Amino acid sequence: MKTAFLAVVAVGTSLVAVGPLPASGSPVPDDLLSALLFGDTDATTPPADGSFRTGPALAPSCDGVTIKPADDAAQVIADAPTGTTFCFTSGLHRISETLRPKADQVLASDEGAVLTGSVRLTRWTATGGASGSADGGASGVRGGVNGGWVTTGVLPPAYAKTGQCEDDEANICYLREQVFRDGRHLTRVASRDKVARGTFYADYAANAIYLGDNPAGHDIEMSSTQTAIEPGGNNVTVRGLTVEHFATPPQSGAVVLGLGWRVYANDIRWNHAVGAMLVNADSAILEKNRIHHNGQLGVGQYSTLKGTIAANEVSDNNTDGFWIADWESGGIKTTWSSGGWVVGNLIADNRGVGLWSDAYDDSRTFSNNQIVDNAADGIRYEIGRNGVIAGNTISGNGFGTGRGSGTSLWDGGGINVNTSSNVQVRDNVVANNVNGISIQSRTRGSGPWGTNLLRNIVVSGNQVTMRGGTTATGMVQNSGAAIPDGTVMLNDNVYILDSLTTDRFQQTGRWYTANQWQTTGQDKTSTFTTARPILNPPGILTILPTPN
């Protein structure tokens, strides 16, 4: 077996390093891992500069039917036979109708084509609080009631609320239309009197948009088309495209993968809800994409068999204020799916959970991901079974604040396994999160497998750093969901602590020092140290011995 190493990557204020892949029992074959992480089957190390390679620059050349910005792309695709390759030329392609490629078609670009779902807003009138006009040179604006500029006749009819917002009183995250000024995302406010610089207000009853910045001399765009690409047939390839500014409804994707699709080397950004979505997309592959600054979630997966989400950068998602702690927001979320992998992704700086498996995922593997500085849990595995969480590096997660955020083991932090069965948590590096590894037993009703219970959780071979505050590893339960003896087993882990006499472990409401924790029967073969980890080239993490 090859030995492959992930890069050392600086993300925000964190230095992320992943050691060697497991010497045996790797959940993903060598050739797939090498190809996905490093670009070819012979590579054993990342690029020398430690870069994480994603996006359109990786797309191969395109040879096929040309689609120019002035063309009706949807019609060109609809008129062509199955198996056709389409090459989008450079420039801005306005997509007013969703593209639905047929079986075996390829949508591609090697020239930096941008597909946008937005329309330009050009007719602006200064309102009572603004100085200057949209076609004048003044740049000042006074906020407050009647302040700013207005345009009318561009909004759709009002529509029903869906989803959960961080602000559950104003509850405006569900509104799909985003506004951009010179490509910069403006913040939506809940009423006209809140309009100020960098913001906009959409009045659906009056069909009016109010802007807090002078639009004169600036490009103002509003997302309009709901979806960029969705299935019209199976085994479609999408590569080398930038997809932006689509008015996707909550829990819907700008790019929706179907059966056997391969979507790779794209830049999917600044869409209102989900960047890329696998829906009934058996054997689909989403790889080497940059998926960032989407309004709700980077990647979603639903009802898919053996889907692969690999080697993507998923960062800075949930720009539009969806509930951070406990709704579908943040990096990657998968549900009701079986088999397949989430492997080798960089999941960073998302305002929500980094990687979330929720509701009846079965036999899925989450391995060798770098999960860094996400506002809620690094990994949350909830109401699933037969899962493997292996070889991930998870740091700096869980420090977001807001509705429902907290620091107890109920809130997770590093890895959170919630009311699931037959789950292996092994060979992960978990460092400096709100908590280490949290095992939760909750009363969660019944589903397709019967009563949802916490059973057969094995936590082994992990390196867990816990220093300061109330950070802890352990188990919690609510009434009616007691954890039977032997159901959860932690062993062969390494814990790096601020003190061996500090309570860093918890079992159903009681706190323990390292020695006390071992008397409960947990971590009897584990190591507890106050030493600090060091990184030895070419990427192997080791532990300095504890000073005498």
Side-chain angles (χ1 to χ4, degrees):
M1 175 170 178
K2 297 177 183 175
T3 299
F5 298 90
L6 293 184
V8 180
V9 180
V11 182
T13 58
S14 298
L15 182 64
V16 183
V18 181
L21 305 182
S24 62
S26 175
V28 184
D30 286 355
D31 55 350
L32 176 60
L33 268 175
S34 294
L36 293 177
L37 298 182
F38 310 128
D40 60 76
T41 56
D42 295 325
T44 56
T45 58
D49 62 0
S51 61
F52 194 90
R53 300 179 296 164
T54 59
L58 302 181
S61 60
C62 187
D63 182 14
V65 175
T66 297
I67 298 180
K68 299 178 180 179
D71 295 337
D72 183 341
Q75 192 62 54
V76 172
I77 292 168
D79 290 343
T82 59
T84 301
T85 294
F86 303 96
C87 301
F88 288 81
T89 62
S90 62
L92 193 66
H93 297 251
R94 293 197 181 274
I95 307 300
S96 59
E97 180 182 348
T98 300
L99 309 181
R100 296 180 176 87
K102 299 172 185 174
D104 302 306
Q105 289 186 340
V106 177
L107 276 58
S109 178
D110 58 7
E111 299 183 1
V114 178
L115 309 188
T116 180
S118 67
V119 294
R120 294 192 67 197
L121 306 183
T122 58
R123 293 184 169 183
W124 294 94
T125 302
T127 62
S131 60
S133 63
D135 56 0
S139 60
V141 60
R142 185 170 69 249
V145 177
N146 296 326
W149 285 262
V150 63
T151 189
T152 59
V154 296
L155 288 169
Y159 42 86
K161 294 180 180 180
T162 56
Q164 290 282 329
C165 305
E166 182 66 27
D167 182 347
D168 61 349
E169 294 183 5
N171 196 29
I172 55 176
C173 67
Y174 78 98
L175 295 168
R176 306 164 192 166
E177 289 70 33
Q178 298 170 304
V179 177
F180 301 85
R181 182 177 187 261
D182 296 333
R184 182 171 63 91
H185 176 264
L186 300 181
T187 300
R188 182 191 291 273
V189 294
S191 59
R192 184 177 170 185
D193 63 297
K194 302 295 185 185
V195 173
R197 287 190 180 278
T199 71
F200 77 98
Y201 168 61
D203 185 336
Y204 288 82
N207 197 350
I209 290 181
Y210 295 87
L211 198 66
D213 296 276
N214 192 338
H218 298 276
D219 183 22
I220 311 299
E221 305 234 346
M222 181 191 77
S223 57
S224 178
T225 307
Q226 290 192 16
T227 306
I229 303 168
E230 68 181 21
N234 300 333
N235 304 314
V236 168
T237 297
V238 179
R239 67 174 191 253
L241 300 172
T242 294
V243 179
E244 66 180 20
H245 299 183
F246 284 84
T248 44
Q251 297 182 296
S252 298
V255 177
V256 182
L257 285 70
L259 183 70
W261 279 42
R262 186 184 182 209
V263 174
Y264 73 99
N266 302 283
D267 191 336
I268 304 172
R269 66 192 188 191
W270 294 115
N271 303 289
H272 172 60
V274 185
M277 192 84 182
L278 291 74
V279 181
N280 299 315
D282 296 356
S283 301
I285 298 174
L286 179 74
E287 61 174 328
K288 296 185 181 178
N289 302 281
R290 285 197 69 213
I291 304 173
H292 61 104
H293 290 99
N294 294 286
Q296 177 199 341
L297 185 70
V299 179
Q301 176 173 312
Y302 173 76
S303 189
T304 291
L305 175 65
K306 293 184 178 179
T308 299
I309 301 169
N312 304 282
E313 177 191 334
V314 183
S315 62
D316 298 287
N317 295 288
N318 191 16
T319 62
D320 282 3
F322 287 86
W323 189 12
I324 293 170
D326 206 23
W327 201 66
E328 191 168 306
S329 67
I332 299 174
K333 186 173 184 181
T334 81
T335 65
W336 290 85
S337 295
S338 298
W341 305 270
V342 179
V343 55
N345 301 280
L346 173 61
I347 307 169
D349 296 301
N350 298 286
R351 297 182 68 236
V353 178
L355 171 54
W356 189 353
S357 171
D358 183 24
Y360 308 111
D361 270 356
D362 190 0
S363 303
R364 289 179 51 70
T365 297
F366 306 99
S367 65
N368 303 100
N369 301 286
Q370 302 172 57
I371 303 174
V372 187
D373 293 341
N374 299 284
D377 303 346
I379 294 179
R380 183 181 297 179
Y381 194 92
E382 182 174 1
I383 315 181
R385 68 180 184 183
N386 305 320
V388 176
I389 302 169
N392 303 283
T393 291
I394 305 160
S395 66
N397 300 285
F399 291 97
T401 58
R403 184 162 65 102
S405 298
T407 60
S408 75
L409 280 184
W410 290 111
D411 303 297
I415 298 175
N416 170 359
V417 178
N418 178 350
T419 320
S420 297
S421 61
N422 300 320
V423 179
Q424 300 178 45
V425 180
R426 66 172 191 251
D427 304 319
N428 302 283
V429 176
V430 183
N432 304 317
N433 303 281
V434 162
N435 284 299
I437 298 175
S438 170
I439 311 299
Q440 303 180 3
S441 181
R442 300 176 183 246
T443 307
R444 300 301 301 270
S446 299
W449 309 324
T451 303
N452 296 312
L453 299 170
L454 180 78
R455 294 290 187 272
N456 302 325
I457 311 299
V458 177
V459 179
S460 64
N462 304 283
Q463 178 181 280
V464 184
T465 299
M466 298 185 292
R467 296 175 179 273
T470 59
T471 183
T473 284
M475 295 167 277
V476 289
Q477 65 185 38
N478 62 10
S479 59
I483 302 173
D485 291 342
T487 294
V488 177
M489 184 55 63
L490 294 85
N491 260 325
D492 299 320
N493 301 293
V494 174
Y495 295 98
I496 303 170
L497 310 174
D498 47 345
S499 168
L500 298 182
T501 59
T502 300
D503 293 340
R504 289 282 171 242
F505 299 90
Q506 189 181 155
Q507 184 172 15
T508 60
R510 295 188 60 186
W511 288 84
Y512 301 91
T513 65
N515 287 338
Q516 293 168 343
W517 176 243
Q518 289 184 304
T519 67
T520 70
Q522 297 293 349
D523 280 309
K524 286 189 172 181
T525 58
S526 295
T527 299
F528 303 81
T529 178
T530 58
R532 293 184 178 273
I534 62 171
L535 184 66
N536 288 334
I540 302 173
L541 283 166
T542 60
I543 306 298
L544 288 172
T546 304
N548 293 326

